[in-house]
């Protein structure tokens, strides 16, 4: 018991030169809490027979605990997974133009719902409405929190207690939480499955239409592909059939790019303007997939249907804030200049980055990773890789890429790879790679050139010796 009294006091630890910068950075109450906690731990350990910890040890543990508890949870990471639009890593990385617009809107009052001309109340959708119409050829547009919300809102507005006809081949699940049949049910609509999984014909739709039908819907099968004996009805035919029965034809595109990706040497992805031109009355797509903007759900279509959707009280519950609006407007404005888009829009720049440029970055970073892992039983080399677009876009297409591969040099297998992978995740800015084909792979497609040297330094400073 006596030895416990030799533990330093809370006040003594708090005013120690090692603890003072912590108080400065994180505030007194957080540091005090951790000082108390470490002292309590020490008391418990001593009672169970451990030696009395020295002051330096206590302070060291406090510093570690406070840094860990005090740092932000939403941390920036290096995305070296090879997936450009990685849903778990926040999807699209925004261009500087969007960042500047968000900062300005965040720091200042802005005319979110204020008509500066008339001095009266405005509509937040007007901020991007004209741009969206100009870029897609639609008559009207509205914006909600994400594409799942856009689909939900349109079904809830136009198909409550009615039937929605969808091809069996298009009953998509996106990342578990978004399934077309579930959204349909929650929106109060009845799903009518038309045709078969691999083949659906116009006559299947024609036969399924009755007085209870609310709309014909096409869901872009963005995250899988069916090959072989298949048939899907062209959009223009579905639109004509719907219109002959005075029903709307709606398209959920998922990933919506506003340019022809083939022009950048990428596989073609259907665009909202194609769907509108084919006769779609409403098209929904995501803001943060191929569009390369903030998380948002965009609805474009006829004046009449967009007006109905905007009158649904749920629109208010699903609307976006000024920060999103600022970023979205800035991104859409970049689309007005398609010639420079692939350089200015981060997502497109990453997607269209030449393999040779990525390989050159890998060659430059190779020495840093080799020296960081020098004492471990591994070999590091530059390898050819295949990146993917991600977020359910163009699921079967792979982009030729390059990066670094770490492989065990001995026969001892993958254990060391998992330890290195973990150590990379524990760097101050976590480095996220992937383990595949008995190697730890770091795909450098998404590493911005300006971040190359900081990644090199981080690898250099990393403590990999214990791996
Ligand atoms: C991604 C996707 C959605 C969901 O969009 P979020 O923006 O993630 O809410 C809906 N439908 C399709 C076809 C998709 O690809």
């Amino acid at each position: 018991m006596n030895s416990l009294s030799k533990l330093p006091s809370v006040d003594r630890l708090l005013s120690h030169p090692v603890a003072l910068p912590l108080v400065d950075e994180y505030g007194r109450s957080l540091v005090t809490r951790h000082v108390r906690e470490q002292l309590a731990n020490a008391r418990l350990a001593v009672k169970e027979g451990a030696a009395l910890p020295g002051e330096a040890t206590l302070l060291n543990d406090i510093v570690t605990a406070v840094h860990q508890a005090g740092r932000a949870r939403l941390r920036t990471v290096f995305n070296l997974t090879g997936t450009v639009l990685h849903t778990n890593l926040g999807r699209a990385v925004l261009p500087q133009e969007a960042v500047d617009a968000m900062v300005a809107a965040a720091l200042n009052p802005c005319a979110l719902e204020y008509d500066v001309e008339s001095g009266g109340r405005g509509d937040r959708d007007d901020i991007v409405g004209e741009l969206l119409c100009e870029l897609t050829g639609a008559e009207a547009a509205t914006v909600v929190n994400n594409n799942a919300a856009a689909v939900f809102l349109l079904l809830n507005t136009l198909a409550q207690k009615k039937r929605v006809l969808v091809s069996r081949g298009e009953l998509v699940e996106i990342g578990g939480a978004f399934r077309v049949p579930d959204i349909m049910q929650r929106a109060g609509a009845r799903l009518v499955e038309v045709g078969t999984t691999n083949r659906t014909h116009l006559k299947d739709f024609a036969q399924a239409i009755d007085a209870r039908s609310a709309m014909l819907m096409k869901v872009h099968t963005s995250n899988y592909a069916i090959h072989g004996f298949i048939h899907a009805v062209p959009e223009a035919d579905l639109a004509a059939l719907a219109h002959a029965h005075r029903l709307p034809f709606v398209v959920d595109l998922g990933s919506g790019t506003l340019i022809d990706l083939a022009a950048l040497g990428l596989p073609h992805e259907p665009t909202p303007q194609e769907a509108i031109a084919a006769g779609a009355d409403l098209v929904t797509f995501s803001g943060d997939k191929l569009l390369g903007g903030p998380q948002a759900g965009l609805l474009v279509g006829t004046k009449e249907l967009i007006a109905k959707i905007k009158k649904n009280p749920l629109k208010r519950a699903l609307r976006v804030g000024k920060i999103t609006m600022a970023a979205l407007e800035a991104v859409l404005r970049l689309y007005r200049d398609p010639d420079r888009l692939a350089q200015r829009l981060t997502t497109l720049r990453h997607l269209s980055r030449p393999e040779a440029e990525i390989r050159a970055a890998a060659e430059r970073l190779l020495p840093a990773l080799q020296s960081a892992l020098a004492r471990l039983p591994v070999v590091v080399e530059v390898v050819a890789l295949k990146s993917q677009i991600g977020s359910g876009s163009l699921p079967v297409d792979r982009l030729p890429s390059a990066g670094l591969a770490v492989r065990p040099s001995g026969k001892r297998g993958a254990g060391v790879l998992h330890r290195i992978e973990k150590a990379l995740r524990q760097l101050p800015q976590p480095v996220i790679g992937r383990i595949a084909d008995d190697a730890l792979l770091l795909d450098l497609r998404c590493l911005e050139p300006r971040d190359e040297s900081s990644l090199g330094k981080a690898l250099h400073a990393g403590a990999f010796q214990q791996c």
Side-chain angles (χ1 to χ4, degrees):
M1 278 301 127
N2 242 355
S3 73
L4 280 181
S5 64
K6 294 198 187 111
L7 278 172
S9 70
V10 173
D11 281 342
R12 184 185 157 86
L13 288 170
L14 269 178
S15 52
H16 193 280
V18 169
L20 285 176
L22 290 179
V23 174
D24 246 12
E25 191 172 351
Y26 300 106
R28 196 170 189 83
S29 81
L30 183 79
V31 183
T32 308
R33 201 166 82 221
H34 284 279
V35 167
R36 293 217 163 95
E37 202 172 297
Q38 292 302 328
L39 283 171
N41 289 348
R43 265 184 228 109
L44 214 72
V46 169
K47 275 183 192 160
E48 285 170 2
L52 195 74
E55 192 170 72
T57 309
L58 276 170
L59 283 164
N60 202 25
D61 290 350
I62 290 164
V63 169
T64 310
V66 171
H67 278 312
Q68 187 140 357
R71 74 180 172 211
R73 292 295 292 265
L74 185 58
R75 293 163 72 193
T76 58
V77 303
F78 289 104
N79 173 12
L80 306 188
T81 61
T83 300
V84 178
L85 294 166
H86 198 301
T87 296
N88 304 137
L89 301 182
R91 288 196 185 158
V93 170
L94 295 177
Q96 191 60 46
E97 286 83 351
V99 174
D100 293 343
M102 284 192 293
V103 169
L107 286 175
N108 301 286
C110 58
L112 181 64
E113 285 189 347
Y114 184 80
D115 184 347
V116 182
E117 294 303 317
S118 70
R121 194 194 155 97
D123 177 345
R124 69 181 65 198
D125 283 338
D126 287 348
I127 294 166
V128 291
E130 254 173 59
L131 265 167
L132 278 169
C133 292
E134 175 189 316
L135 294 165
T136 64
E139 289 172 11
T142 182
V143 183
V144 289
N145 185 49
N146 55 29
N147 188 41
V151 174
F152 175 82
L153 189 62
L154 95 79
L155 291 170
N156 182 264
T157 308
L158 305 174
Q160 211 176 14
K161 300 201 174 90
K162 291 196 186 149
R163 302 187 165 203
V164 178
L165 282 57
V166 186
S167 165
R168 278 215 166 77
E170 297 174 0
L171 300 174
V172 185
E173 169 179 311
I174 287 119
F178 179 91
R179 291 174 139 195
V180 170
D182 298 344
I183 285 273
M184 199 76 75
Q185 194 193 8
R186 286 291 174 150
R190 276 281 298 281
L191 169 68
V192 177
E193 301 178 19
V194 177
T196 63
T197 305
N198 57 331
R199 289 174 73 85
T200 301
H201 304 275
L202 191 62
K203 67 173 191 297
D204 297 327
F205 276 97
Q207 282 163 8
I209 294 177
D210 65 18
R212 296 161 298 180
S213 307
M215 64 174 69
L216 269 56
M217 184 171 186
K218 183 172 178 67
V219 182
H220 178 46
T221 56
S222 49
N223 56 1
Y224 67 97
I226 302 180
H227 296 284
F229 188 55
I230 55 167
H231 186 261
V233 186
E235 286 177 7
D237 295 354
L238 279 175
L241 177 67
H243 297 158
H245 291 267
R246 296 176 174 278
L247 295 173
F249 170 52
V250 311
V251 178
D252 172 22
L253 267 189
S255 207
T257 173
L258 296 173
I259 56 153
D260 179 10
L261 289 183
L264 296 175
L266 295 163
H268 179 76
E269 174 88 344
T271 62
Q273 49 271 42
E274 286 165 1
I276 294 286
D281 301 285
L282 275 175
V283 183
T284 64
F285 53 104
S286 287
D288 55 354
K289 291 185 181 172
L290 282 170
L291 189 80
Q295 180 189 302
L298 297 98
L299 288 124
V300 300
T302 64
K303 274 204 176 92
E304 186 202 337
L305 294 182
I306 294 289
K308 272 192 187 165
I309 284 171
K310 289 177 68 153
K311 285 203 198 94
N312 187 330
L314 283 170
K315 165 68 169 57
R316 167 65 192 251
L318 302 172
R319 72 183 186 182
V320 300
K322 64 173 180 173
I323 312 281
T324 299
M325 216 36 122
L328 185 59
E329 183 188 19
V331 165
L332 291 174
R333 283 173 53 176
L334 295 183
Y335 277 89
R336 278 187 164 155
D337 183 2
D339 298 338
R340 285 194 291 165
L341 190 66
Q343 274 320 301
R344 293 163 89 189
L345 193 67
T346 316
T347 299
L348 282 188
R349 191 168 66 240
H350 288 172
L351 288 173
S352 60
R353 206 170 168 199
E355 184 186 355
E357 195 187 303
I358 308 171
R359 177 171 283 271
E363 302 282 0
R364 286 191 294 272
L365 275 165
L366 178 66
L369 191 59
Q370 274 175 331
S371 87
L373 306 180
R375 305 242 203 99
L376 301 172
V378 292
V379 280
V380 187
E381 55 188 357
V382 173
V383 289
L385 295 170
K386 296 272 189 213
S387 317
Q388 46 182 333
I389 296 175
S391 272
S393 306
L394 307 161
V396 283
D397 294 296
R398 295 284 184 274
L399 312 172
S401 186
L404 298 168
V406 182
R407 290 197 179 83
S409 54
K411 281 265 172 279
R412 268 182 303 142
V416 67
L417 293 187
H418 288 279
R419 289 192 292 278
I420 296 169
E421 189 265 346
K422 184 171 177 196
L424 285 170
R425 277 190 280 116
Q426 286 170 343
L427 290 172
Q429 178 164 350
V431 173
I432 316 293
R434 71 191 148 102
I435 291 182
D437 307 329
D438 303 319
L440 169 59
L441 304 175
L442 304 178
D443 186 318
L444 297 181
R445 172 176 295 279
C446 297
L447 181 68
E448 288 284 330
R450 61 160 193 266
D451 294 333
E452 243 178 61
S453 71
S454 62
L455 176 60
K457 283 189 197 122
L459 292 173
H460 211 76
F464 296 98
Q465 293 81 341
Q466 299 94 308
C467 286

